Amino acid sequence: MKYKVVDKSQAKEIAKLAVCLTNEIIERTGIKHFDVDVPLAVSLCEGYVSSGLYNVIAAFDKNKIVGFGALCESRSLYAEGTFGIVQEFYVMPNYRSQNVGKELIKEIVNFAKSENWKKLELCTPPLPEFDRTVAFYQVNGFEITGGHKMKFTIV
């Protein structure tokens, strides 16, 4: 398995995996939290990666992307500077429990260090359907900080 930062040329593969992640969340919760639009996801991913607003580290099995973590930089007073947000993290089901996710987290942490980020944050639903996901992140060094993910849709 190889891990590396991807460029715009792999945006379509990343976007398709992000759609798989979205669909998995919808399936697990039974609630359509997101609209799934593959062409839009591809277009956004290409633009974000090209502009440097979105850094994607992917896991490759030969030449096939089997997992990825997408990162954005943010700033806050509580974090005392810049930090990274793991916006999406996904490993294909047949590659789970094979240390792909664990190694991907290590690569994400190394990337964060190279950017001089103070910390990494991510969000996962605090629902029983995601207990294994939460446990995975905890085993890999993340801690629960409380709160709820909330959104306000601007129309």
Side-chain angles (χ1 to χ4, degrees), residues 6-150:
V6 301
D7 60 29
K8 179 183 172 181
S9 69
Q10 287 128 344
K12 188 173 186 177
E13 289 176 82
I14 296 299
K16 286 182 178 179
L17 289 177
V19 168
C20 290
L21 169 63
T22 302
N23 286 333
E24 190 172 315
I25 292 169
I26 291 168
E27 287 172 19
R28 283 194 198 181
T29 62
I31 301 168
K32 190 172 181 187
H33 298 280
F34 314 98
D35 291 322
V36 179
D37 182 335
V38 176
L40 177 60
V42 171
S43 174
L44 289 172
C45 191
E46 287 174 345
Y48 293 165
V49 170
S50 294
S51 69
L53 293 173
Y54 195 72
N55 295 286
V56 179
I57 300 169
F60 289 81
D61 184 4
K62 299 180 176 98
N63 291 327
K64 178 183 176 185
I65 297 175
V66 299
F68 78 97
L71 309 162
C72 292
E73 182 176 274
S74 191
R75 292 157 186 75
S76 74
L77 300 178
Y78 76 85
E80 300 176 347
T82 58
F83 66 98
I85 300 173
V86 180
Q87 298 288 13
E88 289 101 10
F89 186 90
Y90 184 75
V91 174
M92 293 173 63
N94 52 328
Y95 285 86
R96 294 178 188 166
S97 300
Q98 297 178 36
N99 290 325
V100 174
K102 178 181 180 176
E103 294 302 316
L104 195 49
I105 292 286
K106 285 182 184 177
E107 293 296 324
I108 287 169
V109 169
N110 288 336
F111 180 88
K113 288 177 181 176
S114 76
E115 296 293 311
N116 294 314
W117 293 343
K118 304 280 186 185
K119 62 158 96 192
L120 285 169
E121 292 185 353
L122 59 80
C123 184
T124 185
L127 304 170
E129 295 86 356
F130 295 93
D131 285 349
R132 281 191 67 210
T133 304
V134 172
F136 164 79
Y137 287 122
Q138 287 179 300
V139 165
N140 286 285
F142 286 83
E143 58 187 74
I144 295 173
T145 58
H148 294 276
K149 181 176 182 177
M150 301 174 81

